[in-house]
């Protein structure tokens, strides 16, 4: 007889945050219907997490992923400025923290890291709003999966979906008829947010924020834990979060990505993209582009994202002032204001570098005059794209492949300036090509293509969404049969996104 392989067992989940900060989490049990089915498993992510694929697909594995494995589950508390208006109590109204999965750091024998497993669309919690069913449309769960995999493949720090489930329920949302309900199991470095500190400021004892600072540093920025005083650690955390948000913001801007709802409760201290339900990528370029149906004033438009992130970081700084210097409030304000100013400078510099790479320019070692010229050229280029409503992703990819989509009357002058910049930056043709190929994707989740695929999912056909996932998971490699994902029809300008998860 062939020996049978040992059956995998449920991985152990920690609850260091939920149990260590009881005022910031409440026990809550997911409402998972019988017959809930695994619709999609992110195999590459599961393998990165060291999880057994066959076991995850088993009844036991599905129960574990949906919070029915016997371990406690929690709903997290947080506050938030939503479209500029303070909501002192928000929290997970339709989501549950399943637990923290501990992972050994590669190449480091004595250190571990941990990620959160967070289930969305899983029923009501103590933080649910009146009238909420706590559920999510299946299309919203798939949308988060596709966008997360796209951002990850494009090099953007982001939360990712481990699995999508069909529950067999139907929910009433934006369409006249009920639509299929679903769940998404999200993996994130943590769910510590700016809103977490705001909730602690309004509802917890003062020492809780000092403990939160130490926890956040240990989890996300362990090299900063050894700062001598509590005030130094609080300032270090503010600076580290600001730097990580600057990197995230520059990467979004270089991709034409619009988050959609950059409230303070959607700003993760880890620097990952999170809660991007109504997001979208710009097709025909417009600086003030908004996609979210609820952002009627354009607060979170593409060109506002860096500024609104600075505003969100200022709200974070406010929660730390009495930790930074409890004796001298003016000194604390001065130090925190300096960090926000550093962010504003850093995000500009990182955006210049990101757009330079898209144009095949390398700025390492370049003088300030060259950087200034690249900045002006980048803004001029965006102005031309906007004037002619040119496709953002398509323009830079076409340029990478040797053609320029600008109208003939403006093309030659633009190309001449580009050549002058390449000469000033002293970049070889080979290196320029290498940079452009690595920073200008062929595939993004085109808004109308994604929306059409989601409508097919509602009808029980997963083939289009899985094809789209395949494309965006390797966005820089052109493949046969996917031409329809390389460009957007003119009507995509009028696309509107909705938040469902």
């Amino acid at each position: 007889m062939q020996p049978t392989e040992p059956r995998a067992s449920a991985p152990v989940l920690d609850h260091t945050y939920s149990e260590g900060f009881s005022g910031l989490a409440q026990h809550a049990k997911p409402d998972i219907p019988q017959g809930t089915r695994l619709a999609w498993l992110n195999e590459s992510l599961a393998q990165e997490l060291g999880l057994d694929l066959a076991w995850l697909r088993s009844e036991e594995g599905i129960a574990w992923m949906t919070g029915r494995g016997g371990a406690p589950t929690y709903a997290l508390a947080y506050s938030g400025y939503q479209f500029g208006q303070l909501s002192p109590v928000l929290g997970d109204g339709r989501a549950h923290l399943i637990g923290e999965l501990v992972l050994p750091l590669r190449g480091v024998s004595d250190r571990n890291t941990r990620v959160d497993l967070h289930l969305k669309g899983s029923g009501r919690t103590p933080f649910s709003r009146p009238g909420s069913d706590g559920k999510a449309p299946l299309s919203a769960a798939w949308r988060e999966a596709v966008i997360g995999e796209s951002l990850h493949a494009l090099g953007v720090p982001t939360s990712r979906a481990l699995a999508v489930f069909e529950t067999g329920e139907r929910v009433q949302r934006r369409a006249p008829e009920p639509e299929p309900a679903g769940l998404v199991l999200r993996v994130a470095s943590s769910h510590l947010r700016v809103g977490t500190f705001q909730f602690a400021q309004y509802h917890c004892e003062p020492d809780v924020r000092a403990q939160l600072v130490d926890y956040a540093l240990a989890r996300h920025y362990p090299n900063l834990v050894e700062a001598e005083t509590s005030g130094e650690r609080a300032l270090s955390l503010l600076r580290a979060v600001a730097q990580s948000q600057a990197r995230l913001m520059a990467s979004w801007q270089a991709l034409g990505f619009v988050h959609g709802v950059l409230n303070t409760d959607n700003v993760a201290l880890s620097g990952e993209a999170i809660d991007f339900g109504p997001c979208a990528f710009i097709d025909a370029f417009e600086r003030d582009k908004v996609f979210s149906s609820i952002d009627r004033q354009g607060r979170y438009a593409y060109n506002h994202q860096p500024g609104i992130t600075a505003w969100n970081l200022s709200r974070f700084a406010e929660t730390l002032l009495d930790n930074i210097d409890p004796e001298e409030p003016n000194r604390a304000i001065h130090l925190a204001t300096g960090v926000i100013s550093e962010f504003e400078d850093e995000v500009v510099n990182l955006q210049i570098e990101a757009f330079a790479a898209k144009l095949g320019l390398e700025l390492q070692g370049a003088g300030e005059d060259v950087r200034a010229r690249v900045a002006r050229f980048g803004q001029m280029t965006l102005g031309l794209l906007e004037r002619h409503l040119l496709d953002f992703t398509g323009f830079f990819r076409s340029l990478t492949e040797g053609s320029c989509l600008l109208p003939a009357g403006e093309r030659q002058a633009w190309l001449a300036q580009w050549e002058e910049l390449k000469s000033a930056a002293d970049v070889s043709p080979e290196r320029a090509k290498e940079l452009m190929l690595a920073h200008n994707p062929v595939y993004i989740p085109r808004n109308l293509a994604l929306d059409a695929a989601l409508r097919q999912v509602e009808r029980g056909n997963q083939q289009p969404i899985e094809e789209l996932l395949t494309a965006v998971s390797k966005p820089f490699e052109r493949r046969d049969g996917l031409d329809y994902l390389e460009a957007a029809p003119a009507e995509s300008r009028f696309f509107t996104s909705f938040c469902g998860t």
Side-chain angles (χ1 to χ4, degrees), residues 266-497:
N266 293 338
V267 178
L269 303 192
S270 63
E272 289 180 334
I274 199 168
D275 284 337
F276 40 73
C279 67
F281 288 80
I282 296 175
D283 291 321
F285 184 72
E286 296 173 85
R287 282 186 174 92
D288 60 355
K289 189 64 180 174
V290 174
F291 294 98
S292 174
S293 61
I294 58 177
D295 190 2
R296 297 181 179 88
Q297 304 302 317
R299 178 180 175 87
Y300 300 133
Y302 171 81
N303 61 326
H304 294 166
Q305 290 188 128
I308 205 64
T309 300
W311 191 89
N312 289 334
L313 288 169
S314 296
R315 305 291 76 74
F316 181 43
E318 289 169 354
T319 72
L320 297 173
L321 291 176
D322 54 353
N323 296 98
I324 292 172
D325 195 327
E327 304 299 329
E328 296 187 40
N330 288 337
R331 178 175 179 272
I333 292 171
H334 173 75
L335 292 171
T337 301
V339 172
I340 305 304
S341 296
E342 291 170 8
F343 165 83
E344 292 170 337
D345 292 339
E346 180 71 358
V347 77
V348 169
N349 287 329
L350 290 174
Q351 284 186 88
I352 293 170
E353 292 174 4
F355 276 95
K358 294 179 75 68
L359 293 164
L361 303 170
E362 202 159 31
L363 297 184
Q364 187 174 5
E368 286 303 313
D369 59 328
V370 174
R371 295 180 70 90
R373 288 173 62 186
V374 170
R376 290 193 297 271
F377 185 72
Q379 288 303 313
M380 180 194 72
T381 301
L382 293 180
L384 290 172
L385 295 185
E386 184 169 33
R387 183 189 310 167
H388 301 291
L389 291 176
L390 295 179
D391 181 85
F392 183 91
T393 302
F395 172 82
F396 286 104
R397 186 66 195 193
S398 295
L399 203 64
T400 303
E401 296 176 349
S403 61
C404 180
L405 300 182
L406 289 173
E410 293 172 301
R411 187 182 309 148
Q412 288 307 116
W414 186 90
L415 288 171
Q417 288 190 57
W418 183 36
E419 288 301 322
E420 290 174 6
L421 274 181
K422 284 193 281 189
S423 177
D426 193 24
V427 60
S428 70
E430 295 78 16
R431 179 57 179 157
K433 185 77 169 180
E434 181 183 3
L435 284 168
M436 295 177 73
L437 285 170
H439 290 87
N440 296 318
V442 179
Y443 305 115
I444 56 170
R446 292 288 184 179
N447 298 319
L448 294 184
L450 175 56
D451 200 55
L454 294 176
R455 302 291 77 79
Q456 288 298 311
V457 161
E458 293 171 347
R459 299 181 179 95
N461 178 14
Q462 288 186 191
Q463 189 272 332
I465 201 78
E466 291 185 357
E467 185 171 88
L468 182 55
L469 264 170
T470 298
V472 301
S473 296
K474 293 186 177 179
F476 301 101
E477 301 176 17
R478 178 173 280 107
R479 284 181 291 282
D480 294 337
L482 298 180
D483 302 27
Y484 73 100
L485 296 176
E486 293 188 31
E491 59 267 28
S492 67
R493 281 189 62 200
F494 307 106
F495 174 78
T496 300
S497 59

